[in-house]
Amino acid sequence: MSDKSKNIYKIAITGGPCGGKTGISSYIRKELKKNGYRVLWFPEVARGYIENGISPDGDKLTGKKFEEFIIKKQIAVEEIYEEAAEVFASDDEKVVIFYDRGLPDVCAYIERSVYEEILSKYNLTLESALNRYDAVIHLVTAADGAVENYQWAGNEDESKRDPDRHESPEEAIILDKKLEDAWKQHPSYLRLDNSTTYLGKKKKAREKIYKVLGIDKPKDYQLKLLIKRPTEEIISGIEGAVHISIEQTYLLRKNSEPEKERRVRLWKGDNEKGLYLYTKKEDSSPDITDAERNEWDKVITEEEYNNYLEEADSDLSTIKKDRWCFKYKNYAYELDIIPVLNDDEALIEVKLDSLEDAEIEDIKLDMASLGLEVIKDVTTDADYRNINIARR
């Protein structure tokens, strides 16, 4: 593994076909750069060979010989990257070498005994090959758990057809399991399946890498848009939208934590008993927006809720909302209709990992397809912050 005293870290990303490897690795590289790291990107060796005309060809170039070519180049180029990383780290620069697949990936394509035989030529063992990396992120193929999103050459849906991916969903799952077997003994192995969304995968991968690097857990971002108040017909047409009524009351700040905004909320779904929540939130100044936030929520009893109401801030009104929660594509939305807003207005919030322009534009397009008309982005408009709405 890497010498942490030199501020050099080596992270591999692996996984079966259509697991999100390209997009998620690109995202993490950007995030690391934002945190002051120099990121050295190590492209996939096998892909480089194949794109340049070197690929298994029956008896002429056997699979074993092809994988040996991969190992030979992987080792040689890793040494170059490590040497370059040491040059950059000599000036106290933090460096991450990010590998699109590592040596153990080879074990998924040939027999383990053959893989060990090739490694021995380079004085490596299964264990030492694993320990060349500080962490590995395994992004499970979409074929396993999200087959509707699996793109390959044989897909009947032309919009999900990838002519360069020839593995069927069944073959992709088998390959993915072999990759898991190749890497799972690594002490810092993280397998990200498809029980979450693509964005969930991105976030978990980032959190794992941040933990390895000792970076504080990143804050969440919240996009807030002012929209034209949708009709009942539009709302009823949103698949899976769940209605909740909310009463939100702000409390007096504690002298011991004057920077913390405190509030209690009563959440009540249709025909359901209420849920009571107590929340503390950083950045309680009225001039600071909700774009970047740190919140702590705790479920409380009805009795505790009523006791907290005794601490209500009399300068702020209780906000009453009708909220519809729904998921569309890769995002979770909260649509709020609040009586104190203008009759033709509503707010919609989307929780994000960042506030990148491209991501925001995608969300606006998705909303338009649902019949939701954006008036303007109010993420950084303090007038639409909840605490200031309570002042109206």
Side-chain angles (χ1 to χ4, degrees), residues 32-33 36-40 84 88 93-97:
L32 291 177
K33 288 177 182 178
Y37 283 82
R38 179 183 288 270
V39 180
L40 308 185
F88 294 124
E93 191 169 2
K94 298 177 293 184
V95 183
V96 174
I97 308 176

Side-chain angles (χ1 to χ4, degrees), residues 106-120:
V106 171
C107 193
Y109 296 87
I110 54 178
E111 293 294 329
R112 182 175 293 264
S113 60
V114 176
Y115 172 59
E116 288 186 87
E117 177 190 333
I118 299 172
L119 287 179
S120 67

Side-chain angles (χ1 to χ4, degrees), residues 346-387:
L347 289 171
I348 199 160
E349 297 181 359
V350 191
K351 191 173 181 180
L352 305 173
D353 291 331
S354 66
L355 291 174
E356 295 181 4
D357 291 341
E359 193 170 17
I360 293 172
E361 289 307 311
D362 287 343
I363 288 171
K364 289 180 179 179
L365 289 173
D366 289 344
M367 288 174 56
S369 69
L370 295 172
L372 301 173
E373 183 180 337
V374 176
I375 299 172
K376 63 178 179 178
D377 185 340
V378 294
T379 304
T380 58
D381 189 335
D383 287 342
Y384 290 92
R385 189 165 182 260
N386 279 320
I387 196 167

Side-chain angles (χ1 to χ4, degrees), residues 81-98:
Y81 271 67
E82 288 168 21
E83 187 175 343
E86 289 178 0
V87 171
F88 294 124
S90 64
D91 291 329
D92 293 329
E93 191 169 2
K94 298 177 293 184
V95 183
V96 174
I97 308 176
F98 214 87

Side-chain angles (χ1 to χ4, degrees), residues 7 17 19 42 74 177 179 187 231 239 357 364 374 380:
N7 287 328
F42 190 112
Q74 183 91 23
K177 295 297 185 185
L179 288 166
T231 63
E239 185 177 354
D357 291 341
K364 289 180 179 179
V374 176
T380 58

